[in-house]
Amino acid sequence: MSQTLTTLNPPYGGTLVNLMVPEAERQAVYEYAKTLPVINLSQRALCDLELLAVGAFSPLDRFMNYEDYQSVLDTMRLKDGTLFPMPITLPAPDDMRLTLHSDVALADERNNLLAVMTIDDIYEWKLEELATKVFGTTDTRHPIVAEMHRWQSRFISGKLQVINLPIHYDFVNLRLTPAETRARLEAMGAKNVVAFQTRNPLHRAHEELTKRAAKEVGGVLLLHPVVGMTKPGDVDHYTRVRAYKALVEHHYQKNEVLLSLLPLAMRMGGPREAVWHAIIRRNYGASHFIVGRDHAGPGNNSKGEPFYGPYDAQALVEQYADEIGIGVVPFKMVVYLADEDRYEEISKVPQGAKTLNISGTQVREQYLNKGIPLPEWFTRKEVAAVLAESYPPRTRQGLCIWFTGLSGAGKSTTAEVLASLMLEHGRQTTLLDGDIVRKHLSKGLGFSAEDRDTNIRRIGFVASEIARHGGSVICAAISPYKATRDDVRAMFSEGQFIEVFVDTPLEVCEARDTKGMYAKARRGEIKNFTGIDDPYEAPENPEIVLTTVDCTPEENAHKVIAYLREHGFINGD
């Protein structure tokens, strides 16, 4: 089933894919799905399935098979030559027996049945190849690269019969499919539509930019925020959507904007992702697309340098704009002219004019983290109120202090001292020590690489929940693998994960050997022991480095306290 629309910019490829089973057949397919083996989808796969089902990824009508996958990696095109820069794949459980031409049911983590897939391809993939060709890096500070380390080893593909979309209870009236979005835009009399991709709160500069863009194209604005998976640590979508709603209600004309939510799982893939976003927005009816500075950028790598150049994304979208069939509106920097009480593009600012601007970092560090209201020239009072409700001062925000280092390095002793000092400074603190966690949370796990990763991710999950609710947590675990630590970092809001590398030489740790573990490892009685026959991957750019050869645990704990005081997590007394 497909739908052709002519008033608006037609969908990419001409028609909107629709994978939903017709209502008359739905119950029969649902009953059949109940008899099949079940694959429980990750949050990423759920987002992808939903957007495949409703045509947001048109002309794609399934998770990619090997030929499409390899072609996209090598050429940014499907095997038939269609431009499509991002691989859309479905990992399959390694321990599940799968055969070609068989059917499996796809379900969410609560076993709600969503679709039936008839498998027509099963193939293995290589992490380094995918990471390098699509994202240009194997650095696990890139959130998708870190996440890939826990993906299964096989991808599967096949025809999809979707019986239910993933369940959402929030902002239901704003979750519009491409067909519904197009119908709303047509009802508004729109032919030209400029789409704005956002995963952040909108301030006055963004508001000004979007209004100018809509006027420039002679059409309406499709305010299209991502509410699936964004950059780890971003403002949660509940807060953002509340702010968007307030802004649209009070500061846009009703006939000039449509707010519609996009359940997209971003890859933070920079230039390639920007091209993908443009294709998606065309499927929602857009004729133009605003491409931001460092669009879909994941931030800095392990060396503290940006993964992508600030204008790489704009350049790549402009290169393919004609083929995609969408006009590009580059994001233009605008600043506030204090003496004239208006915003202007920075290239048009009169010489000598007094300008004001606040960066995203300054918003967090100088205002929200200190409980200082954002000025009304910078953001609308309705938006400022929403942000203030969701983001208390940093002294009341959650944080995780993650000690990593070899066995015997001094992590646990320093962590115990630190916990007492934090309580002294008024921060209620939970201590998750690696040995204690293994007795309770991770009882039964061994010391294989897979079990170690599972143990660390369990600690990370518990810690992230504590921090999410405003608590302080100290974790002391060897956590030998960089990719896993970076994956845990991605569970926290920006600035709330503090990696502390306890840099004690192996020979010193062995000399201490209070548990006799190193001696047993040297004798071969313990296998896969970190530092002996299994590697320890030292952090490349941790927030804090401690040495224990020339410093006591008390001295090191006070160094961490000094860091927390400097960054506003505890008061300066």
Side-chain angles (χ1 to χ4, degrees):
M1 179 179 177
S2 63
Q3 180 178 2
T4 302
L5 299 171
T6 56
T7 304
L8 298 170
N9 195 14
Y12 189 56
T15 59
L16 277 180
V17 168
N18 183 351
L19 302 181
M20 301 302 298
V21 173
E23 187 60 33
E25 304 170 20
R26 180 179 171 277
Q27 188 61 35
V29 178
Y30 177 73
E31 294 298 327
Y32 175 60
K34 287 160 52 173
T35 70
L36 298 173
V38 176
I39 295 178
N40 295 102
L41 302 184
S42 66
Q43 183 60 40
R44 183 172 302 285
L46 281 174
C47 292
D48 288 348
L49 177 67
E50 180 170 1
L51 294 184
L52 281 168
V54 299
F57 293 166
S58 298
L60 203 62
D61 65 356
R62 65 193 63 205
F63 293 99
M64 289 180 182
N65 60 26
Y66 176 75
E67 288 185 334
D68 279 332
Y69 166 79
Q70 195 63 52
S71 182
V72 167
L73 260 60
D74 294 335
T75 69
M76 296 208 324
R77 297 180 182 276
L78 302 174
K79 63 183 178 182
D80 66 3
T82 302
L83 180 70
F84 204 98
M86 194 61 61
I88 309 298
T89 56
L90 179 61
D94 287 335
D95 59 356
M96 188 174 189
R97 186 175 180 272
L98 298 170
T99 58
L100 294 178
H101 314 302
S102 64
D103 291 340
V104 294
L106 306 182
D108 64 17
E109 62 180 6
R110 294 180 176 82
N111 286 317
N112 295 303
L113 294 174
L114 304 174
V116 172
M117 174 189 279
T118 301
I119 300 173
D120 63 19
D121 203 1
I122 305 170
Y123 58 100
E124 294 186 350
W125 63 285
K126 298 176 182 178
L127 189 153
E128 185 173 351
E129 179 187 31
L130 173 54
T132 302
K133 289 183 177 179
V134 177
F135 303 103
T137 183
T138 57
D139 188 338
T140 54
R141 278 293 178 92
H142 195 299
I144 192 71
V145 176
E147 181 187 315
M148 279 188 230
H149 282 261
R150 54 185 159 90
W151 289 3
Q152 305 294 317
S153 64
R154 301 174 297 170
F155 293 151
I156 59 174
S157 176
K159 178 184 176 182
L160 291 167
Q161 300 177 76
V162 181
I163 47 182
N164 293 304
L165 294 176
I167 300 169
H168 302 290
Y169 299 109
D170 59 307
F171 306 115
V172 174
N173 294 335
L174 296 176
R175 292 180 176 273
L176 306 179
T177 67
E180 291 169 339
T181 302
R182 286 173 167 274
R184 296 277 187 96
L185 291 169
E186 287 185 315
M188 294 170 70
K191 291 188 177 179
N192 288 334
V193 177
V194 59
F196 184 55
Q197 149 90 24
T198 178
R199 43 172 251 269
N200 293 306
L202 297 190
H203 300 298
R204 291 285 299 275
H206 304 102
E207 177 190 337
E208 184 69 22
L209 169 77
T210 56
K211 288 179 176 178
R212 291 186 182 203
K215 184 176 181 180
E216 181 181 322
V217 305
V220 302
L221 170 69
L222 173 59
L223 184 56
H224 212 206
V226 173
V227 296
M229 298 176 69
T230 61
K231 179 183 174 182
D234 277 350
V235 174
D236 67 272
H237 82 263
Y238 302 100
T239 298
R240 289 189 288 110
V241 175
R242 286 166 54 214
Y244 301 143
K245 287 179 65 178
L247 195 61
V248 167
E249 181 178 350
H250 295 287
H251 299 289
Y252 284 88
Q253 297 295 323
K254 293 190 184 305
N255 63 346
E256 70 178 14
V257 62
L258 175 64
L259 174 61
S260 174
L261 309 185
L262 180 67
L264 178 71
M266 292 182 66
R267 274 66 171 172
M268 306 312 300
R272 276 198 183 219
E273 179 135 355
V275 175
W276 183 41
H277 287 175
I279 290 171
I280 292 169
R281 275 20 182 260
R282 175 173 169 181
N283 285 324
Y284 277 85
S287 58
H288 295 77
F289 181 51
I290 300 172
V291 183
R293 184 181 183 276
D294 192 26
H295 189 105
N300 292 338
N301 60 23
S302 294
K303 298 179 180 178
E305 301 167 348
F307 277 99
Y308 310 115
Y311 303 106
D312 291 354
Q314 290 182 0
L316 196 64
V317 179
E318 288 173 347
Q319 179 181 338
Y320 292 106
D322 290 342
E323 185 172 356
I324 298 170
I326 198 165
V328 178
V329 180
F331 190 102
K332 298 173 182 176
M333 180 72 174
V334 295
V335 293
Y336 180 69
L337 300 182
D339 295 333
E340 302 180 39
D341 188 26
R342 68 182 180 91
Y343 276 86
E344 184 57 272
E345 293 176 23
I346 197 166
S347 61
K348 299 180 181 178
V349 172
Q351 187 173 2
K354 181 182 178 182
T355 64
L356 298 175
N357 189 34
I358 302 176
S359 70
T361 300
Q362 290 173 316
V363 168
R364 293 189 300 272
E365 300 294 336
Q366 298 181 18
Y367 291 90
L368 296 179
N369 287 346
K370 294 181 179 179
I372 299 174
L374 288 162
E376 195 163 347
W377 67 261
F378 175 76
T379 199
R380 297 292 188 180
K381 61 182 180 180
E382 297 88 351
V383 174
V386 170
L387 293 177
E389 288 173 1
S390 297
Y391 288 87
R394 181 158 268 186
T395 53
R396 299 205 308 271
Q397 291 178 16
L399 77 153
C400 173
I401 304 168
W402 189 280
F403 284 86
T404 177
L406 292 168
S407 177
K411 302 181 298 300
S412 296
T413 305
T414 306
E416 289 177 5
V417 177
L418 177 63
S420 293
L421 293 179
M422 290 181 67
L423 288 166
E424 177 185 334
H425 283 82
R427 297 276 330 209
Q428 295 300 313
T429 302
T430 299
L431 177 59
L432 297 177
D433 182 77
D435 290 339
I436 296 174
V437 167
R438 273 194 172 270
K439 290 181 181 178
H440 302 286
L441 184 64
S442 295
K443 187 176 182 179
L445 288 180
F447 289 90
S448 66
E450 182 179 359
D451 280 358
R452 289 182 182 193
D453 281 349
T454 299
N455 179 51
I456 295 306
R457 290 193 176 97
R458 286 180 183 178
I459 297 173
F461 172 76
V462 173
S464 69
E465 287 297 296
I466 293 171
R468 188 166 67 88
H469 292 283
S472 305
V473 58
I474 302 172
C475 303
I478 295 171
S479 44
Y481 308 128
K482 181 178 182 297
T484 312
R485 293 195 304 268
D486 284 341
D487 203 18
V488 169
R489 178 187 289 271
M491 299 178 185
F492 295 85
S493 296
E494 185 173 351
Q496 292 186 348
F497 182 85
I498 301 165
E499 188 174 40
V500 181
F501 176 32
V502 184
D503 187 11
T504 305
L506 175 61
E507 58 271 19
V508 175
C509 294
E510 281 201 75
R512 294 171 179 172
D513 202 14
T514 56
K515 304 172 187 176
M517 304 294 283
Y518 281 101
K520 291 180 180 180
R522 291 292 187 188
R523 293 195 299 266
E525 297 172 17
I526 300 177
K527 302 296 184 183
N528 303 318
F529 192 81
T530 302
I532 303 301
D533 56 349
D534 199 70
Y536 176 79
E537 299 170 2
E540 293 183 31
N541 192 23
E543 281 71 20
I544 302 173
V545 177
L546 302 177
T547 60
T548 62
V549 175
D550 52 358
C551 292
T552 66
E554 292 81 0
E555 289 170 334
N556 279 330
H558 278 285
K559 290 179 181 179
V560 179
I561 289 292
Y563 178 96
L564 298 180
R565 183 181 293 112
E566 178 185 350
H567 289 80
F569 284 107
I570 59 177
N571 290 320
D573 53 352

